[in-house]
Amino acid sequence: MIAVLIFYIHVVAIVAIFTIRWQQSGTLDGVLSAGFMLLIFGVGWSVSTVILKFFFDAKGLGTWFDRDTMSLVLLTLIEGFFYYAYAKSERQKIV
C-alpha cells in the first residue's frame, strides 16, 4: 500500500512537471523534464535498493514495510530534497 502511494506521488509529479514545462517552454521541454524525472526515479530506486540490501534482508521491517518499500521511501526523501533545491534555484533565477 505504501509503494502504491509512492508510485502515485511520482506519477502526479511527472504529469505536473510535464504540464508546467510544456506551458512555459513547449512540448520538447516538457518531454525532456518528464524523461529526466523518470530517469532519476529508475536509477535512484536501483541505487537505494543496493544500499538498503546491506542493512536489511528482503523481509525488511514487516509485511507493509519490506525492503522494496523502504527503498522507495528513501528514494522519495532524497528526490524531495533534490527537487526542492532545484526549484529554489529556479525561483532565484526568475526573480
Side-chain angles (χ1 to χ4, degrees), residues 40-54 71 74-75 78:
I40 293 295
F41 177 75
V43 172
W45 191 11
S46 300
V47 170
S48 65
T49 301
V50 168
I51 291 170
L52 287 177
K53 205 177 269 191
F54 291 119
S71 66
L74 177 65
L75 169 66
I78 292 170

Side-chain angles (χ1 to χ4, degrees), residues 23 41 51 64 77:
Q23 290 176 346
F41 177 75
I51 291 170
W64 289 85
L77 292 173

Side-chain angles (χ1 to χ4, degrees), residues 16-61:
I17 196 67
F18 172 78
T19 304
I20 290 168
R21 292 295 187 174
W22 169 57
Q23 290 176 346
Q24 290 176 348
S25 303
T27 307
L28 182 61
D29 197 27
V31 170
L32 287 174
S33 296
F36 178 69
M37 285 188 75
L38 285 170
L39 182 67
I40 293 295
F41 177 75
V43 172
W45 191 11
S46 300
V47 170
S48 65
T49 301
V50 168
I51 291 170
L52 287 177
K53 205 177 269 191
F54 291 119
F55 301 107
F56 297 100
D57 60 349
K59 293 179 184 178
L61 298 176

